[in-house]
Amino acid sequence: MSKLTNWVIGGVAVIAIGGIAYATFGHKSTEKSNNKIVTVGIMSGSKQDTDIWNSVSKTAKNKYGITLKFKQFSDYNQPNKALAAGDIDINAFQHYAFLAASNKATGDKIVAIGDTVISPIRLYSNTYKKVSEYKTGDTIVVPNDTSNESRSLYVLKAAGLIDLKSGLTTATVKDITKNPKSLKIKELAADQTARSLTDVQGAVVNGTYADTAGLDYKKAIFVEPINKNSHQWVNIIAAKSSNKNKQVLKDVVKSYHTQATKNAINKAYDGVELAAWDTDFSK
């Protein structure tokens, strides 16, 4: 597994969208009137996310004359590589923390050009219905990539299960300072966390993988709080730094930042995902 794979968030809390349009390879944006095409790198995903991007595509076409086409990926390593290579114009699959880790690892100059959604990650259990039921020695699984592991540990801290060293940028299991129930925190690849629920007493699962696994969001026993520290987990539309001021890309972001998109998010996810550009992170 590559180093960059171990930085996948997902999520991450991540935007994963599939089946919206056919895959497009090596396509460049054009600025021709009524023939503006923007290729978006996305992850193969759910019907809910498809519905959201269908709404964005409609706005982009009707208001700005932009046709959105989509190239789908199944490996979180690939969308930034494709963007850096110019095979796609923008991508929409990662949050700020993932992008920072990716740029640091690769030296790419990819930047956020617009917020999309935030999807709080959740603690699930097939064993318990509330956090207070955990017993001494129980096992909880967290993703093993840098950003998602840290995010998950802070979720466990917010749930009152552990405490962590203060002043950390990212936390690992080595940074746990208090663990009153001697919980075993097991690190596992993010795409395996949901599957582990049959063998352990809990797992922190990113929204993408929870959806893929068919987990019921409403049955999570703890939900990540939204506060001033949450902004790093906001999902984004990203572009090469050299293209960030292109008007056609700005118009795609404008197409996303609409009431129609917000309505589509609310309808698709019923509060599970939130419109990040319209969310208060000041708490």
Side-chain angles (χ1 to χ4, degrees):
M1 183 176 290
S2 69
K3 185 175 181 181
L4 180 54
T5 300
N6 283 339
W7 277 326
V8 173
I9 30 116
V12 198
V14 254
I15 301 178
I17 308 97
I20 310 162
Y22 60 85
T24 303
F25 295 85
H27 195 94
K28 305 293 184 180
S29 297
T30 68
E31 299 289 342
K32 296 179 181 179
S33 177
N34 298 320
N35 189 33
K36 293 178 286 187
I37 300 173
V38 173
T39 303
V40 188
I42 57 175
M43 301 301 295
S44 300
S46 67
K47 179 183 182 302
Q48 293 97 318
D49 290 323
T50 297
D51 291 342
I52 293 167
W53 275 99
N54 279 342
S55 176
V56 177
S57 295
K58 183 177 180 180
T59 300
K61 185 67 173 179
N62 292 344
K63 189 169 183 179
Y64 299 103
I66 299 170
T67 297
L68 296 184
K69 295 186 177 180
F70 298 86
K71 181 174 180 179
Q72 301 173 30
F73 299 90
S74 59
D75 180 351
Y76 284 110
N77 277 320
Q78 299 306 314
N80 280 340
K81 288 182 179 180
L83 183 57
D87 295 332
I88 56 177
D89 301 303
I90 56 177
N91 64 39
F93 79 104
Q94 63 193 324
H95 52 49
Y96 283 99
F98 179 84
L99 176 59
S102 175
N103 280 337
K104 183 178 180 179
T106 63
D108 291 334
K109 296 181 179 179
I110 296 173
V111 298
I113 61 172
D115 295 348
T116 56
V117 301
I118 184 166
S119 180
I121 58 176
R122 289 161 164 77
L123 172 62
Y124 295 88
S125 177
N126 290 346
T127 308
Y128 304 126
K129 293 185 178 180
K130 51 187 178 181
V131 171
S132 61
E133 294 176 354
Y134 273 103
K135 298 177 181 178
T136 300
D138 281 342
T139 299
I140 297 178
V141 165
V142 298
N144 66 358
D145 57 275
T146 301
S147 58
N148 272 326
E149 178 180 358
S150 179
R151 185 181 185 185
S152 299
L153 291 174
Y154 278 103
V155 168
L156 299 183
K157 178 182 177 180
L161 292 170
I162 62 171
D163 205 354
L164 297 164
K165 293 178 183 177
S166 60
L168 297 173
T169 302
T170 55
T172 70
V173 292
K174 295 180 180 179
D175 298 310
I176 297 174
T177 58
K178 293 182 180 179
N179 187 354
K181 295 187 177 182
S182 299
L183 298 172
K184 298 173 184 176
I185 310 300
K186 181 179 180 180
E187 299 158 296
L188 201 63
D191 62 352
Q192 299 297 313
T193 52
R195 299 179 186 179
S196 73
L197 283 168
T198 57
D199 302 314
V200 299
Q201 289 73 51
V204 181
V205 185
N206 296 91
T208 298
Y209 297 118
D211 187 69
T212 301
L215 295 180
D216 186 345
Y217 293 105
K218 295 180 181 179
K219 291 184 179 180
I221 63 174
F222 190 80
V223 180
E224 180 183 36
I226 297 294
N227 53 41
K228 62 183 179 181
N229 295 318
S230 303
H231 191 262
Q232 63 183 313
W233 311 122
V234 167
N235 289 310
I236 55 175
I237 296 172
K240 292 174 67 173
S241 179
S242 58
N243 292 333
K244 66 181 181 180
N245 292 320
K246 283 190 174 182
Q247 189 60 49
V248 67
L249 302 187
K250 291 182 178 181
D251 288 341
V252 174
V253 173
K254 290 177 184 177
S255 299
Y256 203 105
H257 291 181
T258 65
Q259 186 61 45
T261 305
K262 186 176 180 180
N263 291 344
I265 293 168
N266 291 338
K267 182 178 180 180
Y269 283 104
D270 191 24
V272 171
E273 287 192 358
L274 305 173
W277 73 91
D278 198 27
T279 296
D280 181 10
F281 293 95
S282 65
K283 299 176 183 177

